[in-house]
Amino acid sequence: MIVTSCAGSKMRTVNAILRLIFFFLLLCIGLMIAGGMRLLCGENWHGRHYGARIKLGWMRGAAKILGLQIKIHGFPPKNNALWVANHISWLDAVAISAIHPISFIAKADVRNWPIVGLLAQLSGTLFLNRSKRRDVASCLSNARALLASEVGVAFFPEATTTDGRTLHTFKPSLFAAAIPDHPVQAIAMRYHTARDGRHYAPFIGDDKFIAHLWKVLKAPGGTHVDVSFCAPIFGADRKILANRTETQIRALLSIQSSFRIEFATAPNAAHAASEF
């Protein structure tokens, strides 16, 4: 039994090393493609039809290498929307982008991540320093412009990560990016693993990217993520939008709030489920 266990551990390590190599190769290929497309087609290449298809294919490749097994509940919006989700890990962005090509609003620190930060910048990520009002205003303006040109935008209104068992109060400021006739789409993220029941996805506090990436690559049976789409919301004040989307996600994740009165908005049931 001990010999079998050691052999299994060695095989997982070898497999993780190979996937790590493939992941960094994919990052380098992504840099070359994104850089070349930006030079040839301009800064907003990712918002065009062919650019969106390239991003979607690349993100699905990344999700496969990382061992993400994504199950969709409910129905993603057909029209481009302002997407908001609870935040557990950097894997959230990979899982969501593997479903639909979308531009994210990310904290300014991500820009400094090796390779990943540059790739995100070349691929249309909007970086935000919440401590600077001018930066927030510029980010909102850019987000509205993307939505108006039928490019979806996503952000994490908790402005931090959790272990998935709690939910922080949604900050309303970025909901001001919502524009008329475009839905605000709440998404509930939940992770689990197939074999040992441990939770590998959370990227919290002082976690380092490379160390966390290695942990994810070694996860036995891969990392399963449920992405649940709530009923879309249209045309409301930013504070109401923050409150309603938080309520929707709390309901789907069965996370109770004991300190605020919520607006009653029934979440969309999991009418459909699909995997890729």
Side-chain angles (χ1 to χ4, degrees), residues 12 30 80 83 95 107 111 142 152 157 167 169 171 192 196 202 206 218 223 232 259 274:
R12 283 201 303 272
N80 289 311
W83 296 28
K107 62 182 181 179
R111 198 200 308 257
N142 291 333
L167 194 68
T169 302
K171 299 181 183 299
H192 57 95
D196 63 6
D206 295 328
K218 286 193 71 176
T223 300
F259 54 87
S274 60

Side-chain angles (χ1 to χ4, degrees), residues 22-265:
F22 287 138
F23 182 68
F24 278 104
L25 284 174
L26 185 67
L27 286 178
C28 293
I29 292 170
L31 276 177
M32 289 188 291
I33 292 174
M37 293 296 291
R38 185 160 180 166
L39 285 174
L40 292 172
C41 305
E43 185 175 350
N44 294 321
W45 68 271
H46 51 87
R48 301 181 183 183
H49 179 69
Y50 54 81
R53 291 183 65 85
I54 289 171
K55 280 185 65 175
L56 185 63
W58 190 94
M59 295 306 299
R60 289 187 173 180
K64 187 171 184 177
I65 291 172
L66 291 168
L68 291 185
Q69 298 182 44
I70 304 167
K71 181 175 285 187
I72 303 168
H73 302 271
F75 302 96
K78 293 181 180 180
N79 296 321
N80 289 311
L82 184 65
W83 296 28
V84 300
N86 59 307
H87 199 14
I88 298 171
S89 174
W90 57 272
L91 295 170
D92 301 340
V94 179
I96 292 171
S97 297
I99 296 170
H100 184 82
I102 201 164
S103 291
F104 275 86
I105 299 175
K107 62 182 181 179
D109 295 351
V110 174
R111 198 200 308 257
N112 299 322
W113 288 14
I115 305 179
V116 174
L118 179 57
L119 180 58
Q121 183 177 356
L122 291 172
S123 302
T125 298
L126 304 176
F127 294 103
L128 173 67
N129 186 339
R130 287 179 179 270
S131 64
K132 297 181 179 180
R133 284 191 176 183
R134 183 176 298 178
D135 204 28
V136 174
S138 175
C139 185
L140 288 172
S141 176
N142 291 333
R144 291 190 200 104
L146 286 172
L147 289 170
S149 61
E150 299 303 310
V151 177
V153 177
F155 69 96
F156 303 105
E158 292 172 279
T160 188
T161 54
T162 72
D163 63 2
R165 293 177 293 182
T166 59
L167 194 68
H168 293 299
T169 302
F170 282 9
K171 299 181 183 299
S173 57
L174 293 182
F175 284 91
I179 61 175
D181 301 321
H182 284 64
V184 175
Q185 177 66 63
I187 309 166
M189 308 289 295
R190 191 197 302 271
Y191 291 86
H192 57 95
T193 50
R195 295 183 186 171
D196 63 6
R198 281 186 287 175
H199 200 11
Y200 295 94
F203 185 71
I204 304 171
D206 295 328
D207 284 351
K208 304 301 181 184
F209 176 73
I210 297 298
H212 187 263
L213 171 62
W214 180 247
K215 183 170 65 173
V216 169
L217 292 173
K218 286 193 71 176
T223 300
H224 295 238
V225 52
D226 291 318
V227 183
S228 301
F229 289 86
C230 304
I233 301 170
F234 288 86
D237 174 81
R238 62 186 179 89
K239 292 183 179 179
I240 295 175
L241 287 171
N243 204 308
R244 287 182 174 173
T245 52
E246 182 185 330
T247 299
Q248 288 180 311
I249 292 173
R250 281 189 186 278
L252 280 177
L253 298 178
S254 299
I255 297 174
Q256 300 301 317
S257 173
S258 59
F259 54 87
R260 57 188 297 198
I261 299 173
E262 310 289 359
F263 286 86
T265 303

